[in-house]
Amino acid sequence: GTIVDTDQMIIATYTELFKIFKNISNPDISHILTFSGPPTFDTMVNEFPEYNPHVMEEEFKKRSKKYQIKYTKAYPYTKKMLLDLKERL
């Protein structure tokens, strides 16, 4: 299952991509949140069809790095779950 919340990182990264590659300054956040789950490649094919999806995947990776530490957070139960798993080993 998922142990980290990446929603804010995804929002920040795609907002930047939309601004740079589609000239959209205020994209629909609820739409961006639908990108959480499907493979990034599929999202690039659907959202940026005028660009090579492999190139756009690289753009996503490059741009998301600056947002990962700031916006990626562990869910509240993550630490306890990991400690429980460690005890079982």
Side-chain angles (χ1 to χ4, degrees):
T2 300
I3 61 173
V4 291
D5 180 356
T6 58
D7 286 349
Q8 294 304 313
M9 185 270 301
I10 289 170
I11 290 167
T13 305
Y14 277 108
T15 296
E16 185 174 328
L17 290 175
F18 274 103
K19 185 173 184 176
I20 292 168
F21 293 98
K22 294 191 130 197
N23 200 29
I24 297 173
S25 295
N26 295 307
D28 180 4
I29 302 304
S30 61
H31 180 63
I32 289 176
L33 287 173
T34 67
F35 307 159
S36 182
T40 306
F41 182 86
D42 294 350
T43 300
M44 296 308 172
V45 168
N46 293 326
E47 298 299 321
F48 301 93
E50 62 276 20
Y51 296 99
N52 180 318
H54 296 289
V55 171
M56 292 306 293
E57 269 187 315
E58 290 306 312
E59 287 290 335
F60 179 89
K61 289 176 189 175
K62 178 174 71 174
R63 294 170 192 287
S64 69
K65 286 180 183 181
K66 64 183 164 195
Y67 299 119
Q68 287 174 351
I69 291 176
K70 184 175 182 180
Y71 291 123
T72 301
K73 307 286 184 223
Y75 285 114
Y77 60 82
T78 301
K79 183 176 180 181
K80 181 184 180 332
M81 181 195 63
L82 292 173
L83 290 171
D84 289 349
L85 287 172
K86 183 178 178 182
E87 283 181 17
R88 292 181 193 181
L89 298 176

